[in-house]
Amino acid sequence: MGGAQGVVGTATYEAPPNIALVKYWGARDAALVLPYNSSVSVSLAGMRSRTRVRFDTALREDRVALDGSPAVGGPRASVVAMLDLVRAEAGLTARAEVVSANNFPTASGLASSASGFAALAGAASAAAGLRLTARALSRLARRGSGSASRSIFGGFVLWRAGARPDGSDCYARPLRDEGHWPALRDVVALIADAPRKSVRSAAAMQASVRTSPGYARRLEELPARLGAIVRAIERRDASRLFPAVMEECDSFRGVCETTTPPLDYLTAASRAVLAEVRAINRDAGEPIAAYTHDAGAHVHVFTLARHRAEVRRRLRALPGVRATLVVRPGPGARRVDRPAASVRRAAGARRRAR
Ligand code: DP6
């Protein structure tokens, strides 16, 4: 950076959390974050991480603030590792200031690592002057947190496992955008006293790969289940999607429970939500709701707009459910600190006309 002093570049990105319909659980290469299986998710509207990155030659070390407090230990190291990847690619040595905040509780099982690393990858690469394609951005976000590769895109997203050892074919792509299925709702049952996540999923899942006797069988079953889930999304077919989503969640939970030592992310209240969803479907005589959860205690219950009030009423009546949020599929990561492209085009046209 030939003697230049001061700010190299600044950028701010927002990115959504996502809930996996087909789970990423196990890496064939943990350093490069290359999964054994492809996964599918929905990006969530209304929740976001917002991250500003400023590269500045006057900084003596990277400064990282997460939700208003200086980051230390593992969380800080993960952010610095992402900055190092960006610096290497951009040929930059400047340190950075990173300020990131979520508009939902961090590490609560609402996937803050996905939204956080998607926003960080976007802001850091833009601040460093890299002009990455969405695919390259997905690959970069993946290195911070696997699930973050999917939060680059809105709507329904597929993260393909790929086969190459260098990870060049391992990135997410949009299946259908957030407007594809207007009636679909995710009723999030927020569990009271949900324990804070203490171990990153990236570490926990490798214990499952090593020790769960059901892991290999899960991998064998997945291609058929993933195909059924993708087809049901494309056709907006809730009667096929909902049972497959619950089967996948049960498979994921089964592998966790048979890991040594066992991984149990649910509380009694979470389990009561799963049982209530089964009861709702029994009472309806057809699958009108589907539960799923990630590595946390909160439970996402997919349903259709016309059943939303009923599903919500029944979940709220359960002791241990603190509140419910009704969420739709939402947009992906985007830069928020500069005028939208359409505005800039209009301004350029005015200048040319003068
Ligand atoms: C159960 O890639 O989010 O949510 O960043 O280490 O927490 P960490 O790992 P991450 O693991 C995702 C696990 C999952 C399933 C999924 O989102 O596909």
Side-chain angles (χ1 to χ4, degrees):
M1 296 259 69
Q5 284 298 309
V7 177
V8 178
T10 304
T12 304
Y13 256 75
E14 285 185 0
N18 68 74
I19 175 70
L21 303 180
V22 176
K23 312 294 178 187
Y24 156 48
W25 199 252
R28 66 180 197 275
D29 183 326
L32 290 177
V33 195
L34 305 178
Y36 277 111
N37 64 274
S38 298
S39 56
V40 174
S41 62
V42 182
S43 292
L44 303 177
M47 291 184 246
R48 53 150 186 80
S49 296
R50 171 186 266 248
T51 303
R52 191 186 72 221
V53 175
R54 175 171 60 93
F55 284 104
D56 190 334
T57 58
L59 292 169
R60 298 188 41 207
E61 57 178 16
D62 291 321
R63 280 193 219 150
V64 182
L66 302 178
D67 279 326
S69 307
V72 293
R76 180 176 193 281
S78 311
V79 170
V80 171
M82 171 64 69
L83 295 170
D84 286 341
L85 287 173
V86 169
R87 276 189 282 255
E89 187 150 347
L92 202 67
T93 54
R95 303 291 103 183
E97 180 192 62
V98 176
V99 179
S100 185
N102 298 326
N103 69 349
F104 57 90
T106 302
S108 62
L110 288 176
S112 64
S113 72
S115 55
F117 281 101
L120 176 64
S125 58
L130 295 173
R131 300 179 71 144
L132 300 183
T133 61
R135 182 175 291 183
L137 195 53
S138 172
R139 272 193 299 251
L140 178 63
R142 188 198 81 218
R143 302 285 298 272
S145 170
S147 58
S149 66
R150 299 184 309 238
S151 279
I152 298 303
F153 301 102
F156 303 84
V157 182
L158 173 80
W159 171 20
R160 46 179 287 179
R164 293 187 206 138
D166 67 355
S168 55
D169 58 351
C170 183
Y171 46 80
R173 66 171 171 85
L175 280 173
R176 290 289 186 270
D177 71 17
E178 61 269 29
H180 168 65
W181 195 345
L184 192 70
R185 296 289 183 279
D186 173 10
V187 182
V188 188
L190 295 172
I191 301 301
D193 310 319
R196 278 180 74 90
K197 193 166 155 178
S198 52
V199 178
R200 284 196 61 174
S201 294
M205 62 180 71
Q206 295 310 84
S208 294
V209 173
R210 284 193 306 270
T211 65
S212 169
Y215 189 79
R217 169 117 168 268
R218 167 172 162 74
L219 287 188
E220 281 164 26
E221 292 168 358
L222 266 175
R225 195 182 298 137
L226 182 138
I229 286 177
V230 169
R231 271 193 306 281
I233 290 169
E234 287 169 350
R235 296 172 189 172
R236 300 185 199 91
D237 184 346
S239 69
R240 289 194 196 274
L241 180 64
F242 291 175
V245 163
M246 290 188 282
E247 184 184 292
E248 164 62 3
C249 178
D250 294 345
S251 158
F252 160 63
R253 191 174 55 261
V255 160
C256 290
E257 285 169 352
T258 54
T259 296
T260 309
L263 300 165
D264 184 3
Y265 296 110
L266 302 186
T267 68
S270 319
R271 291 180 193 280
V273 172
L274 307 190
E276 189 65 12
V277 170
R278 292 188 196 105
I280 288 170
N281 288 337
R282 259 197 317 274
D283 295 347
E286 56 175 334
I288 63 167
Y291 57 72
T292 193
H293 57 81
D294 281 343
H298 304 303
V299 183
H300 295 249
V301 180
F302 282 91
T303 190
L304 298 174
R306 63 178 184 278
H307 304 300
R308 180 203 57 184
E310 160 78 356
V311 168
R312 201 175 185 199
R313 184 184 63 72
R314 289 186 62 166
L315 298 184
R316 283 166 101 165
L318 299 173
V321 172
R322 176 164 59 78
T324 55
L325 300 172
V326 182
V327 184
R328 300 177 190 227
R334 65 191 182 105
R335 190 166 177 180
V336 294
D337 63 335
R338 56 172 196 191
S342 58
V343 176
R344 277 184 287 126
R345 270 199 300 277
R350 274 199 301 279
R351 267 197 306 279
R352 282 191 296 279
R354 278 206 293 268

